[in-house]
Structure formats: structure tokens, C-alpha cells
Amino acid sequence: MFTKSQDLFKAPTDLALFLANTTFNSIERIAALNLSAGRSFIEAAFANYTTLLGAKDVQSFIKLQQSLATPALEQGIDYSRNLYAITNETKTLISKEVESHVAETNTKVTGMVEKALANAPAGSEAAVAAVKSAISAANDAYEGLNKAAKQATEVAQASVVATVEATKATASKAAKKAA
């Protein structure tokens, strides 16, 4: 329960600080990933250009181009996988912290309401029951929304994994066909 007025404002301030730090950490990791991917892309582009200049005829040029496409596609898939991992980790950290904060706040508010209702004047039983019912309904609604959000996230994650696997399989088939 909140014992001082400072306690009332400390929890949201701590949560805001956690969210800011977590978000900036994620941004830093994505920036580093982007810089690394950009550097790799430039290095690969010049290496591929040099390799393609060595082609003797159109047929060998096409074969070289096809053989160079597979590693580029694999790098793109790897980049996407790393980007997804960073964003998913950030989402998980934030989600857990917000859930914890909401649960803690809910417990404190419920305790305050229970204490206030215990001191309610005689004859206010209907009002007390209505307040308790409203709190219960709000908690149920929050749980339902939280469950739906988690299910949507799981579906999106499964979709990303399936897409990456399908792309890898298609690239592998195309590379074998070109060789």
C-alpha cells in the first residue's frame, strides 16, 4: 500500500525510466545491426562486382550472378532474424515489466479500496458490492486484453518463422537449380 505521497509517484517514474532505458538499448542494438549490415552489403557489392567483371561470356556472367544471389539472400534472412530477435526481446522485457507494474498497482489500489470500503457507513452494502464488482470486471477485462495481445504476438511470431523458413527453402532450391 502507498504509505507516503512519494510512493504514489515513484512507481510510474521507475516504470518510465525502465521503458526509456529499454527502448534506447534496443535502438542502439538495431543501429549497430544496421551499420554492420550496411558495411557487409558494401563489401559484398564490391566483391561481387569484381567477380562479375571476370566473366568471360554471357552464360558465365549469368551463372556467377545466380551464385552470388544466394549468399546475399541468406544475409538478408540473417539480418531479418536478428532484427526480429531484438524487437521481440524488447517487447518481452517491456511487456513483463508493464504486467508486473499493473499487477502491483492493482494490488495496492484494491487494498486501498478494501480499506476504504471497510470503513463505509452502515447501509452502503450495495455501493460496496458495486465497487467490488467494478474492480473485478476491470481486472477481467485487462486479463482478456492481455491474453488476446499475447495470442496475436504468438501468431505473428509463427508467421515470421514460417516466412523465413519458406524463403530459405526457395533460395536453396533456386541455388541448386542454377548450379
Side-chain angles (χ1 to χ4, degrees):
M1 186 129 41
F2 299 115
T3 56
K4 301 178 203 165
S5 61
Q6 293 92 341
D7 294 342
L8 182 64
F9 300 106
K10 184 172 181 352
T13 302
D14 289 346
L15 179 63
L17 182 61
F18 172 82
L19 294 175
N21 286 333
T22 303
T23 302
F24 281 118
N25 182 41
S26 179
I27 290 168
E28 286 175 348
R29 291 174 60 199
I30 290 171
L33 177 66
N34 286 339
L35 287 171
S36 176
R39 179 178 290 119
S40 294
F41 172 77
I42 290 171
E43 289 171 355
F46 281 105
N48 293 349
Y49 175 73
T50 304
T51 301
L52 290 173
L53 285 177
K56 304 290 184 216
D57 56 17
V58 174
Q59 190 66 16
S60 64
F61 180 83
I62 291 171
K63 243 183 184 175
L64 281 172
Q65 195 172 27
Q66 289 173 337
S67 70
L68 296 173
T70 302
L73 183 60
E74 288 173 359
Q75 285 177 337
I77 291 170
D78 190 44
Y79 169 83
S80 297
R81 188 178 295 128
N82 287 330
L83 180 63
Y84 178 77
I86 292 169
T87 56
N88 190 48
E89 181 182 319
T90 302
K91 177 215 53 96
T92 300
L93 286 171
I94 288 174
S95 180
K96 285 181 181 178
E97 186 67 24
V98 169
E99 283 178 28
S100 171
H101 178 76
V102 167
E104 182 181 328
T105 300
N106 187 28
T107 301
K108 289 177 182 178
V109 169
T110 301
M112 287 173 45
V113 169
E114 289 289 333
K115 189 174 182 179
L117 293 178
N119 297 324
S124 62
E125 290 80 16
V128 168
V131 169
K132 287 182 177 181
S133 177
I135 289 172
S136 177
N139 287 338
D140 291 345
Y142 173 76
E143 289 299 321
L145 288 173
N146 199 19
K147 186 176 182 180
K150 284 181 180 180
Q151 288 174 340
T153 300
E154 289 169 2
V155 168
Q157 184 175 6
S159 177
V160 167
V161 168
T163 302
V164 167
E165 293 304 318
T167 304
K168 282 173 57 179
T170 302
S172 178
K173 286 179 186 176
K176 288 178 183 175
K177 197 175 196 180

